[in-house]
Amino acid sequence: MKTWILFLITLKATITMGQNTNPLLCDPKTGVCETSQSNQKSERNLQNHSKKIEIIYYTDPICSSCWGIEPQLRKLKLEYGNEIVINYHMGGLLSDWSYNSGGISKPSDVAHHWDEVSPYYDMPIDGDIWLENPLDSSYPPSIAFKAAQLQDNDKAVIFLRELREMVFLEKKNITQWEHIATAAQQAGLDISKLKSDYENQGRKEFQKDLELARKIGIRGFPTVIFISGNKQEIVYGARPYALFEMAVLKLLPDATKQEYHKDWKSLFNYYPSLTAREFTELSGMPRKDSEQLLNDLTQQGILSKLETKNGAIWKIK
């Protein structure tokens, strides 16, 4: 609690917001999706509260800029997983369509925007979902994520990844329970419990996230707050990996960077689905060589490839 009090005031001063923002109009230059309100698979276990740095990550399932920093966050977990614990919070990017700002007033307006930011982040995003099966809110998948956290934090993170792949690549409306349930099954969650928590405690937990966001002045995503003792660093928006690493080292100069295997087999063991941008970030290979290798492994029948008009994702078979 003392840690929160220490940065409540400074956070508001650090994060500056523009006026007349639109929650789905994510600015590629700043790498931020701002709100319009005023106020089988496995990843490494990060829920170890003996870690030296706590990370408060404010995000949203349909935040394109948040999808844009998946490569950086995945690398951060591999290199500094022994030093950090990441706590995911939902920010409520889109409550409904009862507004008109930033040139976006209806779902179809988002389609072109998503297609524009996809090459900027070099992450596959298909905006056609907003033409074919548009979402009316990001609240349902956000509540579902909070419900998943009540079961298992690590599985909840996998669940969130599944939801993001569904909405950004598969053009699935993740406000619909059938898709939420499928993502939950893929993440190894108890679907019956998830449904119960989704209708009850999950909503309360989501409201807590929204209230905390208002209290500390969070109005844009991604917002990543690094905290160690009385010190904090903030990475706001989609930024290069070096800034995330710098935040860790400023707070903990003697942090130990973990070496990890960078061959394709090991990387797909860490993360069973990877985009070319993610593979490039994690392997250190040139972007062109990364995609060529992934395509070669696909032709060999080792990987499966889901291709969209704006890029692809590969999964281990």
Side-chain angles (χ1 to χ4, degrees):
M1 183 60 67
K2 291 182 179 179
T3 302
W4 283 107
I5 295 174
L6 286 169
F7 73 80
L8 284 180
I9 298 176
T10 57
L11 183 61
K12 290 185 179 181
T14 303
I15 302 177
T16 58
M17 301 294 176
Q19 299 298 318
N20 299 320
T21 56
N22 184 291
L24 289 178
L25 192 62
C26 304
D27 188 345
K29 293 181 180 179
T30 62
V32 177
C33 297
E34 294 180 347
T35 67
S36 57
Q37 299 177 3
S38 61
N39 300 294
Q40 98 208 340
K41 301 176 180 182
S42 65
E43 290 191 3
R44 295 188 171 192
N45 182 359
L46 300 177
Q47 301 305 317
N48 180 351
H49 291 279
S50 65
K51 303 292 177 68
K52 300 174 183 178
I53 295 179
E54 178 185 11
I55 295 177
I56 305 300
Y57 176 30
Y58 258 95
T59 183
D60 188 276
I62 68 169
C63 167
S64 57
S65 294
C66 299
W67 177 240
I69 68 165
E70 281 286 282
Q72 294 91 308
L73 287 183
R74 285 183 152 191
K75 186 174 183 178
L76 192 70
K77 293 174 184 180
L78 290 177
E79 290 197 330
Y80 293 100
N82 289 335
E83 308 283 4
I84 63 176
V85 54
I86 303 179
N87 295 316
Y88 286 70
H89 295 262
M90 295 290 106
L93 185 61
L94 178 66
S95 57
D96 54 43
W97 286 98
S98 60
Y99 65 88
N100 183 350
S101 64
I104 293 180
S105 61
K106 57 186 181 300
S108 59
D109 294 334
V110 185
H112 179 64
H113 175 64
W114 270 24
D115 289 338
E116 281 186 326
V117 299
S118 179
Y120 191 90
Y121 297 131
D122 193 17
M123 288 287 280
I125 304 174
D126 192 335
D128 287 351
I129 183 176
W130 297 102
L131 304 175
E132 300 171 5
N133 192 10
L135 291 73
D136 56 12
S137 172
S138 68
Y139 280 28
S142 297
I143 294 169
F145 173 78
K146 299 308 295 184
Q149 282 186 312
L150 295 172
Q151 285 191 48
D152 186 287
N153 278 302
D154 296 326
K155 289 181 180 179
V157 174
I158 298 171
F159 173 61
L160 179 60
R161 173 71 184 207
E162 291 287 336
L163 290 174
R164 283 182 165 147
E165 291 184 12
M166 283 180 170
V167 72
F168 290 122
L169 289 93
E170 301 173 29
K171 299 186 292 184
K172 292 181 178 177
N173 187 326
I174 57 172
T175 67
Q176 298 169 351
W177 180 255
E178 61 178 301
H179 299 313
I180 291 174
T182 298
Q185 183 178 34
Q186 293 295 322
L189 291 164
D190 183 324
I191 299 176
S192 296
K193 176 171 173 48
L194 184 74
K195 179 68 170 177
S196 176
D197 288 335
Y198 173 80
E199 295 172 346
N200 296 284
Q201 189 60 34
R203 297 178 184 274
K204 297 177 183 178
E205 296 301 316
F206 177 53
Q207 286 301 316
K208 289 180 183 178
D209 275 3
L210 295 183
E211 290 169 7
L212 179 61
R214 285 191 290 270
K215 186 176 182 180
I216 65 178
I218 301 276
R219 287 179 55 200
F221 316 107
T223 296
V224 187
I225 309 166
F226 296 74
I227 305 168
S228 179
N230 297 336
K231 299 181 294 182
Q232 65 157 348
E233 292 290 329
I234 299 173
V235 177
Y236 182 56
R239 303 300 185 189
Y241 177 73
L243 294 185
F244 290 85
E245 183 176 37
M246 188 182 302
V248 170
L249 295 177
K250 279 185 176 180
L251 297 180
L252 202 64
D254 60 347
T256 302
K257 179 188 290 189
Q258 301 297 306
E259 293 296 328
Y260 64 92
H261 297 292
K262 296 181 172 132
D263 60 284
W264 70 264
K265 188 175 293 186
S266 295
L267 293 181
F268 276 98
N269 183 52
Y270 297 135
Y271 302 110
S273 66
L274 291 165
T275 66
R277 174 70 184 83
E278 289 176 319
F279 191 86
T280 296
E281 186 74 66
L282 299 180
S283 68
M285 293 176 60
R287 175 65 171 75
K288 184 177 180 180
D289 294 346
S290 291
E291 187 155 8
Q292 183 61 56
L293 174 58
L294 293 170
N295 284 330
D296 289 344
L297 292 170
T298 302
Q299 292 179 355
Q300 296 170 27
I302 297 172
L303 302 179
S304 64
K305 179 182 181 181
L306 172 62
E307 194 157 11
T308 76
K309 66 177 184 179
N310 292 324
I313 194 167
W314 288 260
K315 297 184 180 183
I316 193 77
K317 282 191 175 181

